[in-house]
Amino acid sequence: MLHTQPTFAPGRILLFNLLGALLVWSWLSPGLLFWTELDDTVFFTTNGWLTEDNETWVLFVAAVNNRMFDVVSLLILLALYLWAMSRDDRGQYRLLRWGGIGITMLISAVFIAQGVRMVVPYTHPSPTMVYENVNLITEMVGFPTKDSSGSSFPGDHGINLFLFTAFMWRFAGLRVALVSAVFAVLLSAPRILSGAHWFSDVFFAAVAINLIITPWILLTPVGPGLARAITAGLIKVRNALPSR
């Protein structure tokens, strides 16, 4: 069922923000090497799988890091979006209502992206650019793919995927949100498997950013109110159009 009434949930905002702050502390704390060790373990394990003996796996990882797979990802998100829309039990203006939600999500994604660039000056290259003598899928296949990035932190794909999940949780309910979360993990994995991103680029940075920023959009009147305003505008535009 769709939730459209603006709400303010300070308790949940505080909880999510504290979880985000805890992640940031675990990453910044000089006495903890958790994320460094986990990043190295994940990278060297997955990079070790990219060998000529594992040709099928190499082709798979290269394929899911090709730009055409981004189209597949968008289609999967669109399918989830349509599923969420189909569960909306208020039939009148359902398409326009979800248009308002979608536009609000896009505005939020741009706001978060620009805000992160302004507030978080730190970045780093991908593990394939840090370590020497590693396996590179770009040297193993004959089609375009991605296995490196000069600025892999934070993971943009991960930020947007988890933002999508948060919107599904807020507007479509827990069931759609859980399925969206599963696909957020699956669709953010290719860059990690190829070595273009560290594990923490996604599962620390992208998650922490969403835990800190997104509650202030979705658990206050900001996000729901903006969605309602955009929906109202779309309805006015539709009603102003000449009927056939």
Side-chain angles (χ1 to χ4, degrees):
M1 180 177 179
L2 179 67
H3 304 283
T4 56
Q5 294 298 323
T7 59
F8 180 56
R12 284 187 287 173
I13 293 173
L14 178 61
L15 174 62
F16 289 129
N17 281 186
L18 285 175
L19 291 174
L22 181 62
L23 281 176
V24 173
W25 172 81
S26 71
W27 191 73
L28 291 176
S29 179
L32 294 177
L33 297 176
F34 171 77
W35 290 107
T36 300
E37 293 176 353
L38 184 58
D39 279 340
D40 285 346
T41 298
V42 171
F43 171 66
F44 285 116
T45 298
T46 54
N47 191 254
W49 298 340
L50 301 175
T51 64
E52 295 180 356
D53 295 335
N54 291 331
E55 182 179 358
T56 302
W57 177 251
V58 170
L59 288 173
F60 171 76
V61 173
V64 295
N65 280 283
N66 181 272
R67 287 196 177 275
M68 285 301 298
F69 187 73
D70 291 340
V71 177
V72 175
S73 298
L74 286 175
L75 291 175
I76 292 173
L77 295 181
L78 177 60
L80 292 170
Y81 191 79
L82 293 175
W83 179 36
M85 189 187 305
S86 70
R87 288 170 52 83
D88 184 353
D89 55 7
R90 293 189 297 173
Q92 186 179 24
Y93 300 127
R94 179 169 60 184
L95 181 61
L96 297 181
R97 187 157 52 248
W98 278 89
I101 293 170
I103 293 172
T104 300
M105 181 163 47
L106 292 176
I107 292 173
S108 300
V110 172
F111 168 77
I112 291 174
Q114 295 301 319
V116 168
R117 289 192 183 96
M118 293 174 58
V119 176
V120 184
Y122 172 80
T123 188
H124 55 220
S126 59
T128 51
M129 299 184 69
V130 171
Y131 294 111
E132 298 179 353
N133 301 319
V134 296
N135 300 316
L136 302 173
I137 55 174
T138 51
E139 298 178 355
M140 300 180 186
V141 298
F143 56 86
T145 188
K146 183 173 182 178
D147 60 13
S148 64
S149 173
S151 179
S152 71
F153 181 95
D156 292 337
H157 280 78
I159 292 174
N160 292 328
L161 287 168
F162 291 121
L163 176 67
F164 179 88
T165 299
F167 265 77
M168 292 302 100
W169 170 71
R170 175 62 179 84
F171 292 106
L174 184 60
R175 181 180 299 179
V176 180
L178 289 175
V179 176
S180 298
V182 170
F183 277 102
V185 172
L186 293 176
L187 296 176
S188 62
R191 294 293 192 268
I192 297 173
L193 293 174
S194 72
H197 279 293
W198 300 91
F199 183 85
S200 64
D201 292 341
V202 175
F203 293 102
F204 155 65
V207 172
I209 287 168
N210 272 285
L211 286 171
I212 292 172
I213 300 176
T214 305
W216 291 97
I217 299 173
L218 296 179
L219 297 178
T220 68
V222 174
L226 180 58
R228 292 177 68 197
I230 294 173
T231 299
L234 293 174
I235 292 173
K236 287 182 180 179
V237 171
R238 177 186 173 180
N239 292 337
L241 294 175
S243 58
R244 295 181 179 179

